[in-house]
Protein backbone atom coordinates (compact mmCIF):
# COMPACT_ATOMS: atom_id res chain seq x y z
CA UNK A 1 0.00 0.00 0.00
CA UNK A 2 1.25 3.49 -0.87
CA UNK A 3 1.57 5.87 2.08
CA UNK A 4 0.72 9.50 1.15
CA UNK A 5 2.20 11.97 3.59
CA UNK A 6 0.88 15.51 3.96
CA UNK A 7 3.18 18.35 2.90
CA UNK A 8 5.49 19.83 5.49
CA UNK A 9 3.96 23.23 4.84
CA UNK A 10 0.57 24.24 3.59
CA UNK A 11 0.17 25.28 -0.05
CA UNK A 12 0.26 29.05 -0.23
CA UNK A 13 -1.00 29.38 -3.78
CA UNK A 14 -2.65 27.45 -6.60
CA UNK A 15 0.71 26.52 -8.10
CA UNK A 16 1.84 24.77 -4.93
CA UNK A 17 -1.56 23.07 -4.67
CA UNK A 18 -1.42 21.64 -8.17
CA UNK A 19 2.18 20.55 -7.70
CA UNK A 20 1.13 18.72 -4.57
CA UNK A 21 -1.82 17.03 -6.34
CA UNK A 22 0.40 16.08 -9.30
CA UNK A 23 2.96 14.56 -6.93
CA UNK A 24 0.27 12.39 -5.34
CA UNK A 25 -1.14 11.32 -8.71
CA UNK A 26 2.29 10.45 -10.11
CA UNK A 27 3.09 8.47 -6.96
CA UNK A 28 -0.14 6.53 -7.25
CA UNK A 29 0.48 5.81 -10.95
CA UNK A 30 3.98 4.56 -10.20
CA UNK A 31 2.65 2.32 -7.43
CA UNK A 32 -0.08 0.92 -9.70
CA UNK A 33 2.43 0.37 -12.50
CA UNK A 34 4.80 -1.47 -10.19
CA UNK A 35 1.97 -3.64 -8.87
CA UNK A 36 0.83 -4.52 -12.38
CA UNK A 37 4.40 -5.30 -13.41
CA UNK A 38 4.87 -7.64 -10.46
CA UNK A 39 1.51 -9.30 -11.25
CA UNK A 40 2.46 -9.72 -14.92
CA UNK A 41 5.78 -11.32 -13.95
CA UNK A 42 3.92 -13.64 -11.56
CA UNK A 43 1.41 -14.65 -14.25
CA UNK A 44 4.22 -15.32 -16.72
CA UNK A 45 5.98 -17.47 -14.14
CA UNK A 46 2.77 -19.43 -13.54
CA UNK A 47 2.30 -19.90 -17.27
CA UNK A 48 5.87 -21.14 -17.80
CA UNK A 49 5.62 -23.52 -14.85
CA UNK A 50 2.20 -24.83 -15.97
CA UNK A 51 3.37 -25.46 -19.54
CA UNK A 52 6.38 -27.36 -18.23
CA UNK A 53 4.20 -29.55 -16.00
CA UNK A 54 1.73 -30.17 -18.84
CA UNK A 55 4.62 -31.10 -21.13
CA UNK A 56 5.85 -33.63 -18.57
CA UNK A 57 2.31 -34.97 -18.20
CA UNK A 58 2.05 -35.39 -21.98
CA UNK A 59 5.30 -37.36 -21.97
CA UNK A 60 3.98 -39.58 -19.18
CA UNK A 61 0.68 -40.12 -21.01
CA UNK A 62 2.50 -41.29 -24.15
CA UNK A 63 4.52 -43.75 -22.03
CA UNK A 64 1.39 -44.99 -20.24
CA UNK A 65 -0.38 -45.42 -23.57
CA UNK A 66 2.47 -47.51 -24.94
CA UNK A 67 2.54 -49.67 -21.80
CA UNK A 68 -1.24 -50.10 -21.82
CA UNK A 69 -1.32 -51.05 -25.51
CA UNK A 70 1.31 -53.75 -24.90
CA UNK A 71 -0.78 -55.27 -22.09
CA UNK A 72 -3.93 -55.06 -24.20
CA UNK A 73 -2.16 -56.84 -27.05
CA UNK A 74 -1.22 -59.69 -24.71
CA UNK A 75 -4.78 -59.97 -23.42
CA UNK A 76 -6.15 -59.91 -26.96
CA UNK A 77 -3.87 -62.79 -27.95
CA UNK A 78 -5.02 -64.85 -24.96
CA UNK A 79 -8.67 -64.19 -25.75
CA UNK A 80 -8.20 -64.95 -29.45
CA UNK A 81 -6.58 -68.29 -28.63
CA UNK A 82 -9.37 -69.26 -26.26
CA UNK A 83 -12.03 -68.23 -28.79
CA UNK A 84 -10.34 -70.36 -31.46
CA UNK A 85 -10.31 -73.35 -29.09
CA UNK A 86 -14.00 -72.98 -28.30
CA UNK A 87 -14.90 -72.62 -31.96
CA UNK A 88 -13.06 -75.87 -32.68
CA UNK A 89 -15.04 -77.58 -29.92
CA UNK A 90 -18.41 -76.26 -31.05
CA UNK A 91 -17.97 -76.52 -34.81
CA UNK A 92 -15.47 -79.36 -35.21
CA UNK A 93 -16.45 -81.33 -32.08
CA UNK A 94 -12.92 -81.41 -30.79
CA UNK A 95 -11.99 -81.87 -27.13
CA UNK A 96 -11.59 -78.58 -25.31
CA UNK A 97 -8.06 -77.79 -24.27
CA UNK A 98 -7.16 -76.64 -20.80
CA UNK A 99 -7.24 -72.91 -20.37
CA UNK A 100 -3.85 -71.27 -20.53
CA UNK A 101 -3.01 -69.27 -17.42
CA UNK A 102 -3.10 -65.51 -17.85
CA UNK A 103 0.30 -63.92 -18.25
CA UNK A 104 1.31 -60.53 -16.96
CA UNK A 105 -0.69 -58.04 -14.91
CA UNK A 106 -4.43 -57.89 -15.42
CA UNK A 107 -4.81 -54.34 -14.08
CA UNK A 108 -4.00 -51.65 -16.61
CA UNK A 109 -2.66 -48.22 -15.80
CA UNK A 110 -5.06 -45.91 -17.56
CA UNK A 111 -3.51 -42.83 -19.21
CA UNK A 112 -4.84 -39.78 -17.37
CA UNK A 113 -4.41 -35.98 -17.25
CA UNK A 114 -4.70 -34.92 -13.58
CA UNK A 115 -2.39 -31.91 -13.97
CA UNK A 116 -4.58 -30.37 -16.67
CA UNK A 117 -7.76 -30.99 -14.68
CA UNK A 118 -6.15 -29.50 -11.56
CA UNK A 119 -5.11 -26.42 -13.57
CA UNK A 120 -8.70 -25.93 -14.70
CA UNK A 121 -10.21 -26.25 -11.24
CA UNK A 122 -7.40 -24.16 -9.74
CA UNK A 123 -8.03 -21.25 -12.09
CA UNK A 124 -4.72 -21.54 -13.96
CA UNK A 125 -6.19 -22.34 -17.39
CA UNK A 126 -6.48 -18.59 -18.27
CA UNK A 127 -2.66 -18.46 -18.21
CA UNK A 128 -2.73 -20.41 -21.48
CA UNK A 129 -3.74 -19.25 -24.93
CA UNK A 130 -7.13 -20.27 -26.30
CA UNK A 131 -5.39 -22.63 -28.73
CA UNK A 132 -3.51 -24.33 -25.90
CA UNK A 133 -6.69 -24.64 -23.84
CA UNK A 134 -8.50 -26.24 -26.77
CA UNK A 135 -5.64 -28.70 -27.32
CA UNK A 136 -5.55 -29.93 -23.73
CA UNK A 137 -9.35 -29.96 -23.59
CA UNK A 138 -9.35 -32.31 -26.59
CA UNK A 139 -7.04 -34.68 -24.71
CA UNK A 140 -9.33 -34.44 -21.69
CA UNK A 141 -12.28 -35.55 -23.83
CA UNK A 142 -10.33 -38.58 -25.06
CA UNK A 143 -9.26 -39.40 -21.49
CA UNK A 144 -12.93 -39.45 -20.46
CA UNK A 145 -13.69 -41.83 -23.35
CA UNK A 146 -10.80 -44.06 -22.29
CA UNK A 147 -12.18 -44.19 -18.75
CA UNK A 148 -15.67 -45.14 -19.95
CA UNK A 149 -14.30 -47.82 -22.29
CA UNK A 150 -12.00 -49.16 -19.58
CA UNK A 151 -14.81 -49.41 -17.02
CA UNK A 152 -16.96 -51.28 -19.56
CA UNK A 153 -14.08 -53.68 -20.25
CA UNK A 154 -13.67 -54.32 -16.52
CA UNK A 155 -17.38 -55.20 -16.18
CA UNK A 156 -17.24 -57.60 -19.14
CA UNK A 157 -14.03 -59.15 -17.81
CA UNK A 158 -15.72 -59.66 -14.43
CA UNK A 159 -18.67 -61.38 -16.13
CA UNK A 160 -16.30 -63.73 -17.93
CA UNK A 161 -14.30 -64.61 -14.81
CA UNK A 162 -17.52 -65.13 -12.83
CA UNK A 163 -18.59 -67.67 -15.45
CA UNK A 164 -15.21 -69.42 -15.25
CA UNK A 165 -15.54 -69.71 -11.47
CA UNK A 166 -18.57 -71.95 -12.06
CA UNK A 167 -16.16 -74.53 -13.50
CA UNK A 168 -13.28 -74.65 -11.00
CA UNK A 169 -10.16 -76.44 -12.09
CA UNK A 170 -6.52 -76.77 -11.02
CA UNK A 171 -4.49 -73.62 -10.45
CA UNK A 172 -7.71 -71.56 -10.47
CA UNK A 173 -8.06 -72.13 -14.23
CA UNK A 174 -11.53 -73.22 -15.45
CA UNK A 175 -12.12 -76.85 -16.31
CA UNK A 176 -14.75 -76.89 -19.07
CA UNK A 177 -14.39 -80.56 -19.95
CA UNK A 178 -17.91 -81.25 -18.61
CA UNK A 179 -19.52 -78.02 -19.83
CA UNK A 180 -22.59 -78.35 -22.02
CA UNK A 181 -22.74 -76.91 -25.56
CA UNK A 182 -25.00 -74.18 -24.20
CA UNK A 183 -22.41 -73.32 -21.56
CA UNK A 184 -19.66 -73.25 -24.16
CA UNK A 185 -21.66 -70.96 -26.42
CA UNK A 186 -22.25 -68.62 -23.50
CA UNK A 187 -18.55 -68.71 -22.73
CA UNK A 188 -17.71 -67.99 -26.37
CA UNK A 189 -20.06 -64.99 -26.30
CA UNK A 190 -18.40 -63.63 -23.14
CA UNK A 191 -14.95 -64.03 -24.64
CA UNK A 192 -16.00 -62.29 -27.87
CA UNK A 193 -17.52 -59.44 -25.89
CA UNK A 194 -14.34 -59.00 -23.87
CA UNK A 195 -12.15 -59.08 -26.96
CA UNK A 196 -14.31 -56.38 -28.57
CA UNK A 197 -14.03 -54.28 -25.40
CA UNK A 198 -10.24 -54.72 -25.37
CA UNK A 199 -10.08 -53.62 -29.00
CA UNK A 200 -12.13 -50.48 -28.26
CA UNK A 201 -9.98 -49.51 -25.28
CA UNK A 202 -6.90 -50.02 -27.43
CA UNK A 203 -8.27 -47.67 -30.10
CA UNK A 204 -9.14 -44.97 -27.55
CA UNK A 205 -5.68 -45.22 -25.97
CA UNK A 206 -4.07 -45.02 -29.41
CA UNK A 207 -6.07 -41.89 -30.17
CA UNK A 208 -4.97 -40.28 -26.91
CA UNK A 209 -1.36 -41.10 -27.67
CA UNK A 210 -1.70 -39.63 -31.17
CA UNK A 211 -3.15 -36.38 -29.83
CA UNK A 212 -0.40 -36.01 -27.22
CA UNK A 213 2.30 -36.75 -29.80
CA UNK A 214 1.25 -33.65 -31.76
CA UNK A 215 1.25 -31.50 -28.63
CA UNK A 216 4.73 -32.73 -27.73
CA UNK A 217 5.90 -31.53 -31.14
CA UNK A 218 4.86 -28.02 -30.09
CA UNK A 219 1.66 -27.81 -32.13
CA UNK A 220 -1.67 -26.91 -30.54
CA UNK A 221 -3.64 -26.84 -33.78
CA UNK A 222 -6.99 -28.55 -33.07
CA UNK A 223 -7.36 -29.89 -36.61
CA UNK A 224 -3.90 -31.43 -36.60
CA UNK A 225 -4.52 -32.99 -33.19
CA UNK A 226 -7.85 -34.51 -34.27
CA UNK A 227 -6.34 -35.83 -37.50
CA UNK A 228 -3.56 -37.55 -35.58
CA UNK A 229 -6.10 -38.95 -33.13
CA UNK A 230 -8.31 -40.30 -35.91
CA UNK A 231 -5.38 -41.78 -37.82
CA UNK A 232 -4.39 -43.77 -34.74
CA UNK A 233 -7.91 -45.10 -34.16
CA UNK A 234 -8.39 -46.49 -37.67
Amino acid sequence: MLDVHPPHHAATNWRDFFIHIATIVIGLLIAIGLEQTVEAIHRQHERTELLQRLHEESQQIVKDCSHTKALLATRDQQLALRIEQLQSVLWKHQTIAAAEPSRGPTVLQRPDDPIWRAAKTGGLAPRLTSEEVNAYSEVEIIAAQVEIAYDRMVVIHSDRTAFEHEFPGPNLDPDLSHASPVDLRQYLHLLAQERAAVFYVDRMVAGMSGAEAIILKGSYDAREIRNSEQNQTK
Side-chain angles (χ1 to χ4, degrees), residues 99-176:
E100 288 197 8
S102 299
R103 299 183 180 88
T106 58
V107 178
L108 305 180
Q109 183 176 355
R110 286 177 288 183
D112 198 8
D113 57 347
I115 293 178
W116 163 246
R117 288 184 282 107
K120 282 180 47 179
T121 57
L124 291 178
R127 300 293 181 266
L128 305 178
T129 66
S130 59
E131 191 176 43
E132 291 165 344
V133 170
N134 290 336
Y136 288 111
S137 296
E138 179 67 22
V139 174
E140 183 181 15
I141 292 173
I142 309 173
Q145 294 173 342
V146 169
E147 184 173 1
I148 293 172
Y150 179 88
D151 290 342
R152 179 175 178 272
M153 183 183 68
V154 169
V155 171
I156 295 174
H157 176 75
S158 298
D159 291 342
R160 191 255 293 181
T161 54
F163 177 87
E164 291 175 341
H165 289 161
E166 297 179 13
F167 301 88
N171 301 322
L172 300 179
D173 296 318
D175 180 6
L176 300 174

Side-chain angles (χ1 to χ4, degrees), residues 5-224:
H5 300 282
H8 295 293
H9 58 84
T12 56
N13 52 47
W14 285 108
R15 179 176 177 276
D16 291 342
F17 174 77
F18 285 120
I19 291 175
H20 175 60
I21 294 298
T23 301
I24 295 175
V25 171
I26 292 172
L28 290 173
L29 292 175
I30 292 174
I32 293 171
L34 289 173
E35 183 179 1
Q36 291 180 340
T37 300
V38 171
E39 181 64 24
I41 294 174
H42 179 64
R43 287 197 299 268
Q44 181 60 37
H45 175 73
E46 287 182 330
R47 168 180 165 77
T48 301
E49 184 179 21
L50 177 58
L51 284 173
Q52 177 60 33
R53 293 178 62 199
L54 288 172
H55 182 80
E56 293 171 357
E57 180 173 74
S58 294
Q59 291 177 322
Q60 185 61 49
I61 287 175
V62 170
K63 291 180 181 178
D64 291 343
C65 286
S66 177
H67 179 67
T68 298
K69 283 179 62 62
L71 292 178
L72 289 171
T74 298
R75 182 174 295 183
D76 179 73
Q77 291 173 359
Q78 294 170 348
L79 291 169
L81 176 61
R82 197 58 175 160
I83 288 173
E84 183 179 353
Q85 291 173 344
L86 280 174
Q87 289 172 338
S88 297
V89 171
L90 290 169
W91 300 339
K92 300 179 182 179
H93 306 289
Q94 297 179 357
T95 302
I96 188 167
E100 288 197 8
S102 299
R103 299 183 180 88
T106 58
V107 178
L108 305 180
Q109 183 176 355
R110 286 177 288 183
D112 198 8
D113 57 347
I115 293 178
W116 163 246
R117 288 184 282 107
K120 282 180 47 179
T121 57
L124 291 178
R127 300 293 181 266
L128 305 178
T129 66
S130 59
E131 191 176 43
E132 291 165 344
V133 170
N134 290 336
Y136 288 111
S137 296
E138 179 67 22
V139 174
E140 183 181 15
I141 292 173
I142 309 173
Q145 294 173 342
V146 169
E147 184 173 1
I148 293 172
Y150 179 88
D151 290 342
R152 179 175 178 272
M153 183 183 68
V154 169
V155 171
I156 295 174
H157 176 75
S158 298
D159 291 342
R160 191 255 293 181
T161 54
F163 177 87
E164 291 175 341
H165 289 161
E166 297 179 13
F167 301 88
N171 301 322
L172 300 179
D173 296 318
D175 180 6
L176 300 174
S177 58
H178 300 292
S180 69
V182 174
D183 291 331
L184 294 178
R185 286 185 180 277
Q186 181 183 355
Y187 190 36
L188 180 61
H189 176 70
L190 292 171
L191 289 168
Q193 273 193 319
E194 184 173 354
R195 193 180 183 200
V198 167
F199 175 80
Y200 187 69
V201 173
D202 179 80
R203 295 300 84 200
M204 292 298 99
V205 170
M208 190 173 185
S209 178
E212 288 286 20
I214 297 301
I215 293 176
L216 286 173
K217 290 180 180 179
S219 174
Y220 298 97
D221 182 79
R223 180 176 298 180
E224 189 176 357

